[in-house]
Amino acid sequence: MYKFEKAVVRTPADSFAEGITPGLFGKADPELAKIQHKKYIQALRQCGLEVIVLEPDNDFPDSCFVEDPVIVTDRVAILTNFHAPTRKGEVDRILPVIKDIYGSHIERIEGTGTVEGGDICQVENHFFIGLSQRTNEEGACQLAAILKKYGFTSSIISIRALPEILHLKTCMSYIGENTFILQKAILKESELAPFKKIVVPDNEGYASNCIRVNDTVILPEGFDETIKQTRAAGFNVLETPMSEFMKQDGGLSCLSLRIPKLNL
Ligand code: GLY
């Protein structure tokens, strides 16, 4: 597993509750989201990361979900191309910090190709590219070509048959040691056959989006059965409160770009 050195996050905007959500879990409270975001930053710091905190951006209610506009690797950063119309401007807003970190080592998904970072799941030097309501075939094809140019491999997993799942990583997360935490709905996916699996209970679907940061898996607070199973499988676990982000259909991974030591 890559060792991560820094993370980029963006403080939730006052307009946070106006972002895209099916609204299954009630109305989000932007002030509570800001408190939870500070705890998330603390968790990243506890895992040894330097955290770059960007100013809130009221023009884009979903802009705290910084994982969607950029895919970061040790070799290149790839700017995505949103399907969601209200999020399209987020790429330009995050570009300055990406230029600071990656200089000219930046590529871009263009034209009719759409990709959102939540659909991209890295496992060492391989990337699973999710075809979803947000990421299309043309975008996946462009991304695969860019990844190949930088020495990575990739393959496709479609979640189009699961319209209630926003992004690929909404339902599966790689936590190192050849292991995924995932939802039952994706359990039979043939691309995942070689991996060990921790399957979340039906009432803990949200916990299938989580992150491994150095020696620790960060999971949403209160998903006790998933936390118990992850600990039983030998992982260190940190919990962080996520209720307001869950209301906005955003996962724990979406809140940060985790950047390993660069090899540009
Ligand atoms: N609220 C996150 C998204 O729909 O993009």
Side-chain angles (χ1 to χ4, degrees):
M1 191 99 194
Y2 279 96
K3 174 133 177 66
F4 295 103
E5 293 194 330
K6 56 178 89 165
V8 176
V9 303
R10 190 185 288 286
T11 302
D14 290 336
S15 60
F16 174 66
E18 292 155 33
I20 310 166
T21 174
L24 300 176
F25 303 105
K27 183 89 176 158
D29 173 353
E31 292 312 311
L32 182 53
K34 287 179 198 179
I35 292 167
Q36 293 184 343
H37 196 257
K38 287 203 170 97
K39 292 185 177 167
Y40 181 86
I41 291 169
Q42 271 171 20
L44 293 177
R45 289 190 174 132
Q46 245 177 284
C47 297
L49 301 193
E50 173 203 342
V51 184
I52 300 167
V53 184
L54 304 178
E55 291 295 312
D57 186 341
N58 270 318
D59 295 341
F60 296 98
D62 280 311
S63 55
C64 61
F65 300 124
V66 288
E67 193 180 46
D68 291 319
V70 197
I71 299 155
V72 290
T73 76
D74 64 326
R75 303 162 207 183
V76 64
I78 303 159
L79 304 175
T80 66
N81 191 17
F82 277 95
H83 169 84
T86 57
R87 301 197 62 187
K88 283 187 181 295
E90 289 181 35
V91 175
D92 287 342
R93 297 288 170 99
I94 203 157
L95 186 53
V97 72
I98 298 302
K99 277 189 176 157
D100 284 348
I101 297 169
Y102 283 89
S104 60
H105 301 268
I106 298 173
E107 301 268 0
R108 191 184 268 271
I109 305 297
E110 291 171 320
T112 54
T114 63
V115 171
E116 298 189 5
D119 278 317
I120 312 306
C121 180
Q122 183 172 7
V123 176
E124 312 303 345
N125 290 325
H126 185 81
F127 285 77
F128 292 112
I129 304 174
L131 287 183
S132 68
Q133 316 298 326
R134 302 280 187 91
T135 292
N136 66 15
E137 283 81 353
E138 165 63 19
C141 202
Q142 287 185 31
L143 177 58
I146 294 168
L147 290 169
K148 190 171 176 201
K149 179 172 153 189
Y150 289 88
F152 295 109
T153 56
S154 65
S155 56
I156 299 283
I157 296 178
S158 177
I159 56 160
R160 295 251 174 85
L162 306 169
E164 69 287 2
I165 304 283
L166 175 59
H167 288 133
L168 181 64
K169 281 187 294 191
T170 307
C171 63
M172 55 173 248
S173 303
Y174 184 67
I175 58 165
E177 323 310 327
N178 209 39
T179 304
F180 273 89
I181 292 186
L182 43 64
Q183 294 185 19
K184 229 179 259 165
I186 197 102
L187 183 59
K188 296 278 188 280
E189 167 57 49
S190 59
E191 288 285 337
L192 305 181
F195 296 95
K196 291 186 235 169
K197 298 171 185 87
I198 296 170
V199 183
V200 303
D202 289 344
N203 63 346
E204 295 196 6
Y206 184 70
S208 60
N209 178 277
C210 58
I211 53 177
R212 165 84 181 256
V213 185
N214 299 335
D215 296 331
T216 302
V217 178
I218 308 180
L219 276 158
E221 181 182 86
F223 291 80
D224 295 341
E225 183 54 34
T226 306
I227 289 165
K228 194 171 110 190
Q229 283 190 47
T230 307
R231 288 197 169 121
F235 293 91
N236 295 325
V237 173
L238 259 182
E239 299 177 49
T240 195
M242 288 291 297
S243 65
E244 302 317 289
F245 303 105
M246 183 166 114
K247 288 173 185 168
Q248 291 306 117
D249 210 9
L252 203 147
S253 74
C254 311
L255 285 180
S256 60
L257 291 166
R258 297 155 308 278
I259 301 175
K261 184 173 165 48
L262 297 183
N263 184 19
L264 302 176

